[in-house]
Amino acid sequence: MSSERAPLSAEAVLASSADAVVGLDSELRVTVWNPAAERMFGWRADEVLGGDLPIVPADLKGEHGAVLEQVRSGSPLSLYTRRVRRDGTVIDVRIGANRVSGADGRFAGWVINLYPSDNDVQAQRSAMERARLVRRLTDVVVDINADLSLKSVLDRISRGITELTGADAGGFVLLNEDRVELVSLSELSDELQGFTAPLEDSLFGELLRSGKSVLLANEDTRGLQDLVWADLPGLHTIALCVSNVHGRPYGALYALYSQRKVGHVELELLELLAAHAGVAIGNALAYEELNLQRVHEQAVADSSADGIAVLDFGGRVRKWNRSAVELTGYTVDAVEGRHPPFPLPACHGQPIKHKLKDGRWLEILMARIPRTHEWVVDFRDITAQKAMEEEREDFLATSGHELRTPITVIHGYATTLMRKWARLTPDSQYEAVGTIADRSSALVTLVDRLQLGSDVARGEIQVSRDRFDLLDVLRQAVSAFRPLSDRHEVSLDGPDALPPTAGDSLATGMIMDQLLDNALKFSPGGGRVHVSARAEAETVAVTVDDEGVGLRPGDEERIFDRFVQAGARGDGETGFGGLGLGLYIVRQLARDQGGDVTAHRLERGTRMRFTVPVHRGEDQDPELGGESGAVEPPGADPLRTGAFGAVPLSDASHQQPSSHESTKTSQTPEALSRQRSGPLRASRAP
């Protein structure tokens, strides 16, 4: 070659190669994909580089892994096989694979050459050989599954290793936390049975750390004579593969070869056998567990919170545990010899959900016992889970509806100002800006309520239990709400003094704000809102009565759930709106300070009853907190900040609206909610 002519570059050679050339790094990611590979398989280089190799059919994944493992541990390999194009068609190819070493001589990856196979005879021979191997594998798997005793299954697996792969010896190693144990072997001394070793130092540990499913070790690359397997004379090569049970490593199959190396076919067969072994072991474990359950059948079944039934081949009940009786209401005598009082899953491993006549929901699972042709049915109460699902749906629907209105108004007025600012009068401009501010305040309040509801649900709200004057809190709340509506008469009736109470005055103010807010909101026709308080044995009871729409029978408890406005109050046609978080929050706040909030139906309207514990003086429980007295945040004199907005306390009845301020007189529940929007302040747990 003339010295003036530049040598060919590696890139030019790859680009001009008639064969598809693919490079994989040690993590099996594609690093080289030449133009011939694009033409042969249809994927562009930018679609495959850096990802997994997409051309391997699902049924040949084991073969692919076995080939790479053999090449990594030994010499180049060539074979006939099949690969898939991007359009889904499968082609016969001949593959040549070799390992790639880095500058330091260590393993760095693989290079694979592929070209279509025109030799129909060779391809046919390869297909026939694979069919023969599949038949051998099938025979071995059938033998393994012929018994459900775990010890027998493991012994059959070890024998299957030598029969299927041609190994000189085989064994099954069990994973037991940080150690491995030889629990089954074939063609080795029985004295090795039960041998244990640390997982960290074993080949099994090395295989798990590598993240691969198969590992090949031979005398040419490492010393094997210090291993327990050296009991095999002339040990040269060890192949091992992970066996997973229910998706987790359970053990490993070891194939031992004396005085010879291993081909990719043996590795592929070992990997396939390991997969079938995992299924057989899983079945044996389930069967042994079932046998153990039968030894203590009644005691174990009756102690289960799940309903358990055993069905015969015809689907009739043979066993029915105590929880099954409690969940369904059917006694053993009523169901024995009959079909269960609920539908069964169409197939194994696919649970179904069923609603009983009493409104409870069951999740039903079923598993077959192959040896006895029985079925085990497990069913549990998922009513709470279904309620959570419905609650989530209610939240999405409610919050979306409540947030849409202020956002729509804000967007509309903002767009109008942007487009028509110059044509609007100053008063119109001011009115539009005021509306935007008004609706944005309502939006902030909605978001604050959602945040507070979330904090309360997670227990992140700190509520103190200090001594405070409940009567003073009630007076302030009534004074704040009295001028908010000219259609309601808000009054306080109670003794001139009440016993000292233990709790959080700020939280109590929040509770009273919400109860009074609800009383006005759900009394659209006006009427009397009456607050009263009286001392009882250990508590002070506060009641808030209204003459509004009232509650439906049975909704007295449901209205305290999140995102619920039950009964007549919750009818969509009434248009009261809201997130349905208020009563949920106030009940949690009341209970956190040792009291409670309950709802009661009246002949006309609703009574909300709120209790606060009486302070016990010097003998007060230390858990109730000290006498700090600092219950209001600094600067909180002009406003009492509640969970649902800032409510004016001082001079509330004398405040007059400015020329650009909407009136304080409420004509609708929506107007009241809008006027009382304000910043939220709540004490949260760190």
Side-chain angles (χ1 to χ4, degrees), residues 491-606:
S491 62
L492 172 63
D493 179 21
D496 295 334
L498 290 171
T501 46
D504 190 315
S505 63
L506 178 59
T508 303
M510 293 178 180
I511 294 169
M512 288 305 303
D513 285 351
Q514 181 63 31
L515 297 183
L516 289 171
D517 194 5
N518 279 2
L520 270 63
K521 177 179 178 181
F522 294 107
S523 303
R528 187 183 183 200
V529 176
H530 180 62
V531 180
S532 63
R534 64 186 180 89
E536 298 180 344
E538 297 292 334
T539 64
V540 174
V542 179
T543 59
V544 179
D545 296 348
D546 64 55
E547 298 175 342
V549 297
L551 294 170
R552 285 179 177 170
D555 279 351
E556 291 86 351
E557 278 298 312
R558 185 170 178 264
I559 60 173
F560 292 99
D561 293 339
R562 286 188 294 182
F563 315 118
V564 169
Q565 289 183 333
R569 291 184 173 190
D571 291 343
E573 299 177 357
T574 60
F576 290 114
L579 292 171
L581 280 171
L583 292 180
Y584 167 77
I585 294 173
V586 299
R587 170 169 275 189
Q588 300 304 315
L589 292 176
R591 289 179 173 179
D592 284 348
Q593 58 182 345
D596 202 356
V597 177
T598 54
H600 309 270
R601 298 174 62 238
L602 300 178
E603 183 176 347
R604 179 186 176 189
T606 304

Side-chain angles (χ1 to χ4, degrees), residues 364-656:
I364 306 166
L365 304 93
M366 187 167 65
R368 185 171 181 268
I369 307 174
R371 192 67 174 270
T372 62
H373 302 291
E374 295 175 320
W375 295 88
V376 176
V377 181
D378 181 281
F379 48 100
R380 59 185 64 115
D381 190 338
I382 59 167
T383 306
Q385 176 183 333
K386 292 290 291 185
M388 290 180 63
E389 293 175 0
E390 294 176 358
E391 183 178 284
R392 181 170 61 249
E393 293 174 359
D394 290 343
F395 164 72
L396 293 174
T398 304
S399 59
H401 173 77
E402 290 297 316
L403 293 173
R404 185 183 300 112
T405 300
I407 290 175
T408 301
V409 174
I410 292 171
H411 179 266
Y413 273 93
T415 302
T416 300
L417 289 175
M418 181 179 66
R419 295 178 178 176
K420 301 180 180 181
W421 178 269
R423 286 179 283 169
L424 296 176
T425 65
D427 288 343
S428 297
Q429 294 171 351
Y430 194 90
E431 181 182 358
V433 173
T435 301
I436 291 175
D438 188 43
R439 292 294 178 151
S440 62
S441 296
L443 189 60
V444 169
T445 300
L446 289 173
V447 175
D448 284 343
R449 292 187 185 188
L450 287 172
Q451 180 62 54
L452 183 60
S454 175
D455 292 341
V456 168
R458 295 195 304 267
E460 295 183 359
I461 298 295
Q462 287 183 337
V463 176
S464 64
R465 298 192 184 181
D466 302 324
R467 175 172 175 167
F468 75 100
D469 188 344
L470 175 62
L471 189 57
D472 182 58
V473 173
L474 299 180
R475 288 169 177 163
Q476 290 180 358
V478 171
S479 297
F481 274 83
R482 187 172 287 140
L484 295 183
S485 173
D486 59 359
R487 305 174 66 182
H488 297 82
E489 177 189 347
V490 183
S491 62
L492 172 63
D493 179 21
D496 295 334
L498 290 171
T501 46
D504 190 315
S505 63
L506 178 59
T508 303
M510 293 178 180
I511 294 169
M512 288 305 303
D513 285 351
Q514 181 63 31
L515 297 183
L516 289 171
D517 194 5
N518 279 2
L520 270 63
K521 177 179 178 181
F522 294 107
S523 303
R528 187 183 183 200
V529 176
H530 180 62
V531 180
S532 63
R534 64 186 180 89
E536 298 180 344
E538 297 292 334
T539 64
V540 174
V542 179
T543 59
V544 179
D545 296 348
D546 64 55
E547 298 175 342
V549 297
L551 294 170
R552 285 179 177 170
D555 279 351
E556 291 86 351
E557 278 298 312
R558 185 170 178 264
I559 60 173
F560 292 99
D561 293 339
R562 286 188 294 182
F563 315 118
V564 169
Q565 289 183 333
R569 291 184 173 190
D571 291 343
E573 299 177 357
T574 60
F576 290 114
L579 292 171
L581 280 171
L583 292 180
Y584 167 77
I585 294 173
V586 299
R587 170 169 275 189
Q588 300 304 315
L589 292 176
R591 289 179 173 179
D592 284 348
Q593 58 182 345
D596 202 356
V597 177
T598 54
H600 309 270
R601 298 174 62 238
L602 300 178
E603 183 176 347
R604 179 186 176 189
T606 304
R607 168 172 291 174
M608 303 301 297
R609 188 173 187 273
F610 167 43
T611 59
V612 185
V614 172
H615 191 272
R616 296 198 295 267
E618 298 298 330
D619 297 329
Q620 183 71 29
D621 191 333
E623 293 184 358
L624 297 181
E627 299 286 337
S628 65
V631 295
E632 294 287 344
D637 293 337
L639 294 177
R640 178 170 71 238
T641 303
F644 310 97
V647 181
L649 293 182
S650 60
D651 300 325
S653 60
H654 304 291
Q655 293 182 6
Q656 299 297 326

Side-chain angles (χ1 to χ4, degrees), residues 191-215:
E191 296 179 358
L192 298 179
Q193 186 86 16
F195 178 85
T196 65
L199 173 65
E200 181 71 21
D201 302 332
S202 68
L203 291 176
F204 192 3
E206 180 181 340
L207 175 58
L208 292 177
R209 290 191 297 272
S210 72
K212 299 183 296 184
S213 59
V214 63
L215 177 68

